[in-house]
Amino acid sequence: MSMRDIFENSPFGGGGGQRRQIPALKMKKSVWILFGLLLVLAIVIPATATFYTDMLWFKARGLSQVFWTRLIPQWILFGVASLIAFAIFSVNWLKARRSAVKDLAASLPEGSEEMPLRASALFVMIISGVMAVMNGFGVRSEWMTVLQFLNRTPFGKTEPIFGKEVAFYVFDMPFLSLMQSWLLGTLVTALLGIGLIFFMAALPKMREENRFYMPGHARAHLSVLGAITVLAWGAGLWLERFNLLLSEGGVVFGAGYTDIHARLFAINVMIVLSAIVAALLVANIYRRTWRLAIAGGILLIGASFILRGIVPGLVQKYIVEPNEFDKERTYIEYNIAGTLDAYGLNSLKIVNFTPEDFITPQDIENEPDTIRNIRLWDYSPLLRAFKQLQEIRTYYDFPNVDIARYTFNGAYRQVMLAARELDSEQIQNQTWVNRHLEFTHGFGIVMNFVNEVDRAGKPVLVIQDLPPKISVPLEIAEPRIYFGEKSNPYSLVRTDVLEFDYPEGDANVRTTYQGTGGVPVGSLFSRIMFALRFRDSQILFTNSITPGSRILMYRSIRERLETVAPFLLYDTDPYLSIIGGRLVWIQDAYTATNRYPYSNPVSVGGDRQKINYIRNSVKALVDAYDGSLFFYVSDKDDPLLKTWAKIFPGLFTPIEDANPEFCSQIRYPNSLFLIQSEIYRTYHMSDPNTFYNKEDVWRLSNQAKTGSQNAYYVIMRLAGEKKAEFALIAPFMPVGRDNMIAWMAGRSDAPNYGDLLVYQFPKQKLIYGPSQVSALIDQDPEISAQLSLWSQRGSDVIRGDILVIPLGDSLLYVQPLYLKAENSDLPELKRVIVSSGGKVAWAETVDDAISTLLSRLAGTTGARLNAPLKTAEKPVATTPLVVGENARDLAQQAGQHFEAAQRASREGDWARYGEELEKLRAVLEALMNETK
């Protein structure tokens, strides 16, 4: 068979008076119908069920506008892209097909009755439609990019190279890049199709004449479309100019000297050359030759190789590297300014702070809120203690421990708490009824003060047991937890089966869900749809569902929020709070982008994503009982959030409209704080020369014993403030050294919420870092000997994190120490280690440990410790009276004053404690004089 026969029998033409029959079409019609039905059942119906049930879920939450705003733009984008692509494909391919058929007809012998098949045009239309649909699906997922462009909000800042607004890079560039890449891909596909049609039509003649052949109309068609394609490629080069400001190849992130003076020039030349090549392609229509276009293409490739491949390397090696700082200085300044702005560090307040060498009794007396809230329980030991003491049944679990603060009877107290959630995987009898109808929720919480320990070394619980027993002025009107951190399967509630509530004696307490969460599932159609969605026929056939039944889905906090607002980044640690008598989850959410000019990127989400701009713009709230969702705006000035608020006008609520109790429980997010700390440890060097030489890079403290990151929440009084507040703090150390150089604080209480402060220490003074304090502890003979003894007895010694606690003008270091028996998983807090001024002490309680530490400091330190304490209630004698004249009497007096000081510390009477220490010092001095 000749190539002409092949073409004539193809869908593009050929065929004589007799048409060929395709054997495959003889298949029985019923087989095709069955195949079609199976395809519908396998794809269309499950997709429809998911769509319908999601629509019901959004409607039940009052978020129908969000649902349709997310859905409709996707299909509009798909439809527009598909229609334009179909027009490009069909117009070009049909034109090429007509020309090819004419060429083929002209090459047939005179008098031939062969005519092209009319079905060939239909085939081209079908292929155009299929390719257009694929094209539309390729851009459908970019709906957020398009909506952000259409609703963009200015940042109010311009970049220093091209003078463009930052919003151009964040909103315009992604949209323009999407349009350029889509158009280029569509044109290339059209070109390939045209080339294939013309090649198949010309192939018989090329075989006969044994030479390359292309009709003039084919050359003209390909030349015009090729010119447009080259111009679309050139548009990509124009956009690439701006992407230089997001370059990662220089001494800093962003365009450097080589980028501006070599790569930018090369791109501009390439843009001009692309326009020349396009013009040469158009000239092919008249000159009937490809030589000029081919020459232009070779010039384009050669220029790209030289200007973009060789020249930048030469400029970098011979111009920049010998004079790198001088050449890059300006761009380093751009990078420092852009990075500090993008991470919200440009408004950070710096306080030069010189701490005293050691704490004094007056420091302890002046900071009662700080001392009362020193955290003795690390998260991991406390979680293990909660699990051992309060899980009660195997199907309960405490996924995490959260930290919070409340005011009880006028006292500002820091607490730790955990939710007793249901773990459906631990249900002993894994029947369908148990998993979906009976065991539906967790119950209650457990809470303890951060600083309280009972005589056995266990946490003192202020909320515990089932039902909750509460010993603090808090009310939990609804302790049931249907929505939490764990991913439990769907539950059917308000059925004929009473839900398990909590165990009580030999029987179990039962309940029926009374909340508004979930979706009605009483109708037969809804049951069919949910059965298809979850691929669970039991939903359809169970007799337990009533007309008022509801189905709870999207039950984990993260999944629930991401379903509604997938465009936000979510913190890894939602935290539990009690607001208005209800258990609620607070989730920090962020707006972020990786397109902020000259801002250094960081990796988030386990290195899965890079960002270089972030704001904690949203505080999300999820009710643990009914799953209600609220997105409160915590940064109303953020341009990204303003853009999303335009797109979803009913989704966000001003935080001023939130419950005041909610506002009192929000906190500076730990994840954001660590990102900002990571940036600031380098970018605190505002001088370009210092930054370039990396002379003063800091590091965050990693606890050597536990490996945890040393950023923690404390209640403390910042320097210059009148009252204690809840803050997140982290110490910094110089890279390669262990002494502390600064610490950063993120404030959580109104009216200073969100403020960042950095207390910088003088470089010429030694301030102990956590690892140095750890070394002091290891060197203490008493502590070392006791730890060895415990280890020899088979106990597992667990050393907690070392907390650096600012106390007035001093620093106190605190480390809890736990013991865990070999045959037990319950850690017990046995000692509290404290340090200041290079001295170390330990005891069973914080007060006793501080008392011992102050006693040791009193014998070795100077005037500051010996200064009198001044209180409003009791004037302190500056020269204590010493009674007795011989050594025995003096020794007896010393013992009495020491015991009195110990009693005062246990009672928290630090004024009397200071008086007794003063008297003890005077007695010891007299004793020393007596023995000389």
Side-chain angles (χ1 to χ4, degrees):
M1 180 182 291
S2 68
M3 293 305 299
R4 177 181 296 181
D5 294 332
I6 295 174
F7 181 75
E8 289 174 349
N9 290 318
S10 75
F12 293 105
Q18 182 177 359
R19 300 193 178 187
R20 296 172 58 90
Q21 296 295 322
I22 302 175
L25 297 178
K26 296 180 179 180
M27 295 177 64
K28 292 183 178 180
K29 185 177 181 180
S30 59
V31 175
W32 287 104
I33 294 175
L34 179 61
F35 177 77
L37 289 175
L38 290 175
L39 184 66
V40 169
L41 289 174
I43 299 175
V44 178
I45 291 181
T48 302
T50 300
F51 164 79
Y52 179 76
T53 52
D54 273 342
M55 182 185 69
L56 293 180
W57 185 85
F58 275 88
K59 182 179 179 181
R61 304 276 67 75
L63 297 171
S64 292
Q65 183 266 342
V66 174
F67 177 78
W68 294 112
T69 301
R70 287 180 51 190
L71 188 67
I72 293 175
Q74 296 183 47
W75 291 106
I76 291 177
L77 185 60
F78 165 80
V80 171
S82 298
L83 287 174
I84 296 176
F86 179 75
I88 293 173
F89 296 152
S90 61
V91 169
N92 283 280
W93 292 347
L94 285 174
K95 184 178 184 303
R97 177 252 172 198
R98 286 194 298 270
S99 299
V101 169
K102 289 179 181 178
D103 287 342
L104 186 61
S107 65
L108 294 175
E110 293 185 11
S112 174
E113 297 182 357
E114 293 185 10
M115 291 297 293
L117 286 175
R118 294 183 179 181
S120 61
L122 178 61
F123 179 79
V124 170
M125 295 290 286
I126 293 174
I127 294 297
S128 298
V130 171
M131 296 301 295
V133 169
M134 294 173 62
N135 184 292
F137 276 117
V139 298
R140 174 175 169 265
S141 60
E142 299 294 334
W143 63 276
M144 288 192 286
T145 299
V146 176
L147 288 182
Q148 281 188 293
F149 171 75
L150 296 176
N151 295 275
R152 58 194 182 277
T153 303
F155 278 68
K157 300 178 184 296
T158 57
E159 46 82 11
I161 301 299
F162 301 105
K164 292 286 188 180
E165 226 278 350
V166 172
F168 173 78
Y169 293 87
V170 176
F171 301 123
D172 295 26
M173 280 287 291
F175 174 77
L176 295 176
S177 297
L178 170 66
M179 294 296 101
Q180 184 269 337
S181 61
W182 170 82
L183 179 61
L184 182 62
T186 303
L187 292 174
V188 169
T189 304
L191 270 175
L192 293 174
I194 293 170
L196 178 63
I197 293 171
F198 284 137
F199 175 78
M200 294 182 66
L203 189 58
K205 187 169 185 177
M206 287 190 289
R207 287 180 58 86
E208 289 179 2
E209 299 180 3
N210 197 26
R211 68 180 180 86
F212 178 78
Y213 167 74
M214 179 171 288
H217 59 80
R219 182 170 57 250
H221 193 170
L222 287 172
S223 295
V224 172
L225 196 59
I228 297 174
T229 303
V230 171
L231 289 176
W233 179 73
L237 289 174
W238 181 81
L239 293 174
E240 190 176 340
R241 298 165 67 245
F242 302 104
N243 282 329
L244 289 176
L245 273 65
L246 304 172
S247 170
E248 297 188 56
V251 66
V252 292
F253 182 86
Y257 183 91
T258 302
D259 293 314
I260 299 302
H261 293 86
R263 292 191 176 92
L264 181 59
F265 172 76
I267 292 173
N268 289 334
V269 171
M270 296 295 294
I271 292 173
V272 174
L273 290 178
S274 66
I276 293 174
V277 171
L280 292 175
L281 284 169
V282 174
N284 282 336
I285 302 173
Y286 306 102
R287 297 185 62 87
R288 298 185 178 182
T289 178
W290 291 100
R291 292 178 181 176
L292 289 177
I294 293 173
I298 294 173
L299 177 62
L300 196 65
I301 295 172
S304 177
F305 176 74
I306 295 172
L307 295 178
R308 305 185 71 182
I310 297 177
V311 173
L314 296 175
V315 171
Q316 182 69 26
K317 185 173 182 63
Y318 295 107
I319 297 178
V320 176
E321 289 184 5
N323 312 280
E324 190 170 53
F325 176 69
D326 290 336
K327 297 298 183 182
E328 302 285 6
R329 179 188 183 102
T330 300
Y331 308 107
I332 293 174
E333 292 175 346
Y334 294 158
N335 175 259
I336 292 173
T339 301
L340 292 176
D341 183 70
Y343 290 97
L345 296 171
N346 53 350
S347 60
L348 177 146
K349 181 181 178 181
I350 300 175
V351 179
N352 292 317
F353 182 69
T354 304
E356 298 291 347
D357 294 333
F358 43 80
I359 63 169
T360 67
Q362 187 169 0
D363 293 329
I364 305 299
E365 179 187 353
N366 291 342
E367 307 296 340
D369 288 329
T370 304
I371 298 297
R372 186 188 300 121
N373 290 287
I374 292 176
R375 178 169 60 82
L376 302 181
W377 287 101
D378 283 1
Y379 293 90
S380 179
L382 183 62
L383 181 60
R384 289 156 70 179
F386 282 172
K387 287 177 177 290
Q388 290 295 311
L389 299 172
Q390 284 290 304
E391 277 189 354
I392 300 176
R393 293 291 188 272
T394 58
Y395 42 77
Y396 287 133
D397 184 32
F398 294 108
N400 201 0
V401 173
D402 298 313
I403 196 162
R405 77 280 194 193
Y406 295 90
T407 300
F408 298 130
N409 301 320
Y412 201 31
R413 300 299 301 271
Q414 191 172 199
V415 299
M416 303 181 81
L417 67 162
R420 188 183 290 104
E421 295 191 39
L422 175 71
D423 186 354
S424 59
E425 299 302 319
Q426 298 302 319
I427 298 173
Q428 296 299 311
N429 189 12
Q430 291 280 332
T431 65
W432 184 84
V433 171
N434 280 346
R435 284 179 57 84
H436 299 290
L437 274 70
E438 186 163 352
F439 289 87
T440 59
H441 60 275
F443 199 99
I445 67 171
V446 59
M447 178 188 288
N448 69 301
F449 288 125
V450 296
N451 67 320
E452 293 191 2
V453 186
D454 65 16
R455 292 184 177 276
K458 300 180 182 64
V460 176
L461 304 179
V462 295
I463 301 180
Q464 59 183 317
D465 297 342
L466 295 171
K469 297 177 182 177
I470 305 175
S471 57
V472 290
L474 276 177
E475 178 188 2
I476 303 179
E478 183 49 76
R480 296 166 184 84
I481 301 171
Y482 285 85
F483 303 90
E485 294 187 71
K486 297 190 72 67
S487 296
N488 285 311
Y490 72 87
S491 287
L492 291 164
V493 295
R494 295 188 193 172
T495 66
D496 287 339
V497 177
L498 290 176
E499 302 166 49
F500 169 82
D501 205 20
Y502 59 87
E504 186 178 60
D506 295 332
N508 295 322
V509 177
R510 303 283 176 172
T511 189
T512 298
Y513 183 72
Q514 300 297 326
T516 58
V519 179
V521 71
S523 69
L524 177 61
F525 184 73
S526 293
R527 292 170 67 174
I528 293 173
M529 290 293 101
F530 280 106
L532 289 170
R533 179 198 177 102
F534 293 111
R535 294 175 174 84
D536 190 345
S537 60
Q538 299 280 19
I539 297 175
L540 183 60
F541 294 110
T542 181
N543 294 323
S544 300
I545 293 179
T546 68
S549 296
R550 304 177 75 87
I551 187 169
L552 307 181
M553 59 184 196
Y554 295 132
R555 299 185 62 189
S556 77
I557 303 163
R558 184 72 171 265
E559 180 187 27
R560 199 169 183 82
L561 294 171
E562 287 182 341
T563 299
V564 175
F567 47 84
L568 297 175
L569 291 179
Y570 293 96
D571 198 278
T572 56
D573 182 27
Y575 50 99
L576 187 66
S577 187
I578 303 170
I579 298 175
R582 299 180 71 90
L583 300 179
V584 300
W585 298 97
I586 301 175
Q587 172 77 71
D588 286 295
Y590 309 102
T591 51
T593 182
N594 60 356
R595 300 196 56 82
Y596 199 98
Y598 276 111
S599 174
N600 198 60
V602 296
S603 297
V604 296
D607 295 338
R608 292 176 301 174
Q609 180 180 0
K610 281 191 173 182
I611 62 170
N612 67 353
Y613 170 95
I614 187 170
R615 291 290 186 273
N616 177 214
S617 300
V618 175
K619 301 285 187 181
L621 181 147
V622 179
D623 190 287
Y625 184 67
D626 62 24
S628 299
L629 295 164
F630 298 92
F631 293 84
Y632 292 109
V633 177
S634 56
D635 186 353
K636 59 184 178 182
D637 297 324
D638 174 37
L640 281 173
L641 186 66
K642 287 182 178 180
T643 296
W644 289 118
K646 294 176 187 177
I647 298 170
F648 300 103
L651 181 59
F652 301 102
T653 304
I655 200 167
E656 293 79 9
D657 297 341
N659 188 322
E661 289 186 48
F662 170 80
C663 297
S664 70
Q665 288 300 304
I666 61 175
R667 67 190 191 191
Y668 203 101
N670 185 69
S671 295
L672 175 63
F673 185 81
L674 290 178
I675 289 173
Q676 291 174 317
S677 300
E678 176 64 23
I679 291 295
Y680 192 73
R681 73 184 190 89
T682 302
Y683 283 85
H684 72 275
M685 297 180 288
S686 57
D687 177 68
N689 194 16
T690 305
F691 183 94
Y692 172 76
N693 292 316
K694 299 294 187 286
E695 297 176 10
D696 189 25
V697 179
W698 299 346
R699 64 179 176 87
L700 284 170
S701 170
N702 277 351
Q703 298 282 350
K705 302 297 182 181
T706 64
S708 60
Q709 194 76 45
N710 200 2
Y712 42 87
Y713 293 96
V714 297
I715 288 180
M716 56 171 288
R717 184 173 63 85
L718 295 169
E721 298 295 331
K722 294 182 179 180
K723 64 177 184 178
E725 59 185 275
F726 190 62
L728 178 61
I729 70 173
F732 288 104
M733 276 62 62
V735 168
R737 296 169 60 191
D738 292 330
N739 62 289
M740 194 159 61
I741 193 66
W743 60 272
M744 179 186 283
R747 307 175 75 173
S748 297
D749 289 350
N752 302 306
Y753 175 83
D755 290 350
L756 279 176
L757 297 93
V758 170
Y759 290 81
Q760 284 192 187
F761 303 146
K763 297 180 182 179
Q764 65 274 16
K765 183 175 181 178
L766 173 63
I767 309 297
Y768 287 106
S771 60
Q772 292 175 319
V773 172
S774 180
L776 290 174
I777 294 171
D778 291 337
Q779 294 165 10
D780 185 277
E782 179 187 354
I783 296 176
S784 178
Q786 185 62 57
L787 294 183
S788 298
L789 180 61
W790 279 330
S791 297
Q792 291 171 5
R793 293 178 177 176
S795 296
D796 185 9
V797 179
I798 304 171
R799 293 175 65 168
D801 293 340
I802 296 178
L803 306 183
V804 183
I805 310 293
L807 285 177
D809 293 334
S810 306
L811 296 175
L812 176 67
Y813 304 84
V814 181
Q815 182 180 45
L817 191 146
Y818 315 90
L819 285 185
K820 184 176 73 68
E822 187 176 4
N823 58 351
S824 171
D825 198 38
L826 177 62
E828 298 176 353
L829 194 149
K830 287 301 182 184
R831 294 291 187 272
V832 179
I833 305 172
V834 294
S835 177
S836 182
K839 298 295 181 181
V840 175
W842 73 339
E844 294 185 0
T845 66
V846 172
D847 291 340
D848 288 345
I850 292 176
S851 174
T852 304
L853 177 64
L854 289 173
S855 299
R856 294 181 179 180
L857 290 170
T860 58
T861 54
R864 180 171 179 265
L865 184 61
N866 296 328
L869 291 172
K870 296 180 180 180
T871 63
E873 296 82 2
K874 297 180 182 180
V876 180
T878 58
T879 306
L881 177 63
V882 179
V883 181
E885 298 179 356
N886 56 47
R888 179 175 296 178
D889 291 340
L890 292 173
Q892 186 177 4
Q893 288 184 47
Q896 292 172 351
H897 290 312
F898 179 77
E899 290 296 329
Q902 292 289 91
R903 286 195 301 273
S905 70
R906 287 192 292 270
E907 296 169 1
D909 188 349
W910 298 108
R912 183 161 59 88
Y913 177 80
E915 294 177 23
E916 295 298 335
L917 281 186
E918 278 294 305
K919 294 175 182 178
L920 175 61
R921 182 189 60 80
V923 171
L924 291 175
E925 288 179 355
L927 183 60
M928 291 175 64
N929 293 331
E930 183 76 20
T931 57
K932 287 183 180 179

